[in-house]
Amino acid sequence: MLLLAGWNDRAATTDIALADLFIKSLLRSLKQVGLLPAELLMCNTESESVKPYGARDDTIQKIQELRTSRRESIKGGQVTLKWTRGCQLAGITPSIVKKYDPELYARWYDATF
């Protein structure tokens, strides 16, 4: 059996305490019935770079590629690249761009942006 418990920086103190209590209670129950694991590993994952909120690194990169494609498509004061086609070329869905870069979404056809 593998049990992994974790929380982010913004977790409430009561939630952390409840998780700690649950794990201690579970281990105590396993020990009482003779099922305590031979090896108990505790690890601290705080050193890992985890982004619990916001866009993933690959999403940020794709949005940047989308911005570059759009910029390169401006000809005669107009954006010639269609919104959905630009998203397809960058490998990202329009809804993800709208979520993480709403200004790009809103001003896509504004050549002064």
Side-chain angles (χ1 to χ4, degrees):
M1 175 169 73
L2 173 67
L3 174 65
L4 178 64
W7 42 86
N8 61 41
D9 298 349
R10 297 180 182 151
T13 308
T14 53
D15 293 338
I16 295 170
L18 183 61
D20 185 53
L21 180 65
F22 171 76
I23 291 170
K24 287 179 182 176
S25 175
L26 177 65
L27 291 174
R28 189 171 34 255
S29 297
L30 290 173
K31 185 175 182 180
Q32 287 175 349
V33 294
L35 296 175
L36 187 64
E39 186 175 336
L40 180 62
L41 299 175
M42 300 293 280
C43 64
N44 182 358
T45 59
E46 289 180 24
S47 61
E48 295 179 12
S49 78
V50 175
K51 292 176 78 174
Y53 300 106
R56 298 183 336 204
D57 291 338
D58 63 326
T59 301
I60 293 169
Q61 181 181 357
K62 288 176 183 180
I63 291 174
Q64 187 58 41
E65 290 171 12
L66 179 61
R67 284 179 166 270
T68 301
S69 297
R70 178 193 169 276
R71 195 176 317 114
E72 291 172 352
S73 79
I74 297 176
K75 293 185 177 61
Q78 292 186 336
V79 179
T80 59
L81 181 63
K82 301 292 182 194
W83 163 248
T84 52
R85 180 64 182 147
C87 291
Q88 287 174 344
L89 292 172
I92 191 167
T93 62
S95 62
I96 294 294
V97 179
K98 185 177 178 181
K99 178 179 180 178
Y100 291 113
D101 198 341
E103 188 174 20
L104 177 62
Y105 166 76
R107 298 183 65 187
W108 179 264
Y109 292 104
D110 179 0
T112 62
F113 170 67

